[in-house]
């Protein structure tokens, strides 16, 4: 994701409203992020208690606590070989790595990446591509890195991507064979997702599928219209421009895309 240095965070926030897009955006035929409701207990002593409505757990929108801003610049790689994700097509093998000092468990990060790439709406949905996680040294096509903001700035700059907003390392990015996920975004999501109560796991699936989409050769796309789902190749980390958050490149089994940027 290319974030130009001239982009201001205030400008980003101005584009986002209560419903991810804007307060007057029409309802979309997409996901509704429910923050959950309390459960009503059954009355005591009732012979035939009325079942209480099941409560949806309050979604985690961002993680509390400080986020390490710098790490060692060295990496721990996930071990083992994951299952083949997808039913047919070209097999792309990937490693998963976490920067030392990021205070993140590499196995847990690997599970999240596997889940994002193996979901029914991911890039495997068309039956023309498959993914498999492999250990370091197992022969890979690309690596998914989780790195601190300082390292993200260095790694993105090395592949000619400016990931800054308001002069600070902000977005994730992709270079040839490198999917670089910014730890700040992995832990904190983005303000317009948080304001709309979009779960952190949804943002995580989005950012993995977005940057892997670049690795597959897909370019940025625009919002197709107010209240519609945002294409996964839209720069949802920066804005939604009236669209609704969406982490998947395929919706109802069909490739979901917007106009080219």
């Amino acid at each position: 994701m290319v974030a130009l240095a001239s982009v201001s965070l205030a400008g980003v926030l101005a584009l986002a409203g209560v419903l991810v897009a804007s307060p007057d955006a029409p309802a979309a035929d997409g996901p509704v992020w429910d923050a959950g409701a309390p459960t009503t207990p059954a009355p005591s002593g009732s012979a035939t208690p009325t079942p209480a409505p099941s409560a949806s757990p309050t979604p985690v929108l961002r993680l509390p606590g400080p986020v390490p801003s710098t790490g060692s610049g060295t990496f721990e790689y996930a071990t083992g070989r994951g299952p083949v994700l997808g039913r047919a097509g070209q097999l792309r093998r990937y490693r998963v790595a976490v920067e030392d000092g990021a205070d993140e468990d590499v196995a847990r990060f690997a599970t999240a990446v596997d889940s994002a790439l193996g979901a029914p709406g991911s890039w495997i949905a068309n039956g023309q591509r498959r993914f498999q996680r492999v250990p370091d040294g197992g022969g890979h096509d690309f690596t998914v890195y989780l790195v601190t903001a300082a390292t993200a700035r260095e790694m993105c700059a090395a592949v000619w991507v400016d990931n800054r907003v308001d002069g600070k390392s902000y977005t994730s990015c992709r270079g040839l064979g490198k999917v670089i996920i910014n730890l700040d975004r992995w832990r904190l999501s983005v303000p317009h997702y948080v304001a709309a109560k979009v779960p952190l796991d949804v943002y995580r699936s989005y950012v993995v599928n977005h940057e892997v989409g670049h690795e597959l050769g897909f370019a940025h796309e625009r919002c197709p219209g107010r209240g519609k789902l945002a294409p996964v190749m839209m720069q949802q980390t920066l804005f939604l421009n009236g669209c609704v958050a969406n982490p998947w490149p395929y919706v109802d089994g069909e490739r979901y895309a917007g106009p080219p940027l």
Side-chain angles (χ1 to χ4, degrees), residues 92-157:
R92 305 267 301 195
R93 295 179 173 88
Y94 62 94
R95 300 180 301 177
V96 169
V98 171
E99 184 180 9
D100 295 319
D103 194 24
E104 284 284 336
D105 181 75
V106 67
R108 188 175 294 114
F109 179 58
T111 297
V113 173
D114 293 351
S115 296
L117 296 181
S122 83
W123 295 107
I124 65 174
N126 65 354
Q128 297 179 11
R129 60 180 65 88
R130 296 172 296 158
F131 296 110
Q132 185 182 28
R133 176 170 48 81
V134 296
D136 188 29
H140 64 279
D141 299 295
F142 65 96
T143 304
V144 182
Y145 294 94
L146 180 61
V147 301
T148 60
T151 301
R153 173 73 190 115
E154 294 176 3
M155 293 179 72
C156 292

Side-chain angles (χ1 to χ4, degrees), residues 58-227:
T58 301
V60 175
L61 308 180
R62 58 191 300 172
L63 297 183
V67 181
S69 59
T70 60
S72 67
T74 60
F75 304 96
E76 179 183 2
Y77 292 86
T79 59
R81 189 176 298 264
V84 173
L85 309 173
R87 63 186 185 275
Q90 180 186 19
L91 179 62
R92 305 267 301 195
R93 295 179 173 88
Y94 62 94
R95 300 180 301 177
V96 169
V98 171
E99 184 180 9
D100 295 319
D103 194 24
E104 284 284 336
D105 181 75
V106 67
R108 188 175 294 114
F109 179 58
T111 297
V113 173
D114 293 351
S115 296
L117 296 181
S122 83
W123 295 107
I124 65 174
N126 65 354
Q128 297 179 11
R129 60 180 65 88
R130 296 172 296 158
F131 296 110
Q132 185 182 28
R133 176 170 48 81
V134 296
D136 188 29
H140 64 279
D141 299 295
F142 65 96
T143 304
V144 182
Y145 294 94
L146 180 61
V147 301
T148 60
T151 301
R153 173 73 190 115
E154 294 176 3
M155 293 179 72
C156 292
V159 295
W160 305 101
V161 176
D162 187 348
N163 78 326
R164 294 174 296 176
V165 171
D166 287 342
K168 297 179 180 180
S169 175
Y170 190 81
T171 70
S172 302
C173 70
R174 174 260 173 185
L176 183 62
K178 297 179 179 179
V179 170
I180 302 160
I181 307 298
N182 191 321
L183 181 65
D184 281 0
R185 304 284 66 75
W186 191 255
R187 295 265 192 100
L188 304 176
S189 184
V190 289
H192 39 288
Y193 265 57
V194 172
K197 295 182 170 54
V198 180
L200 178 61
D201 284 347
V202 173
Y203 178 81
R204 289 176 168 183
S205 293
Y206 156 73
V207 76
V208 170
N209 277 300
H210 179 95
E211 301 303 344
V212 169
H214 284 314
E215 178 65 22
L216 298 174
F218 293 92
H220 284 145
E221 298 166 0
R222 294 184 287 117
C223 176
R226 291 183 64 81

Side-chain angles (χ1 to χ4, degrees), residues 48-61:
T48 56
T50 302
S54 60
S56 299
T58 301
V60 175
L61 308 180

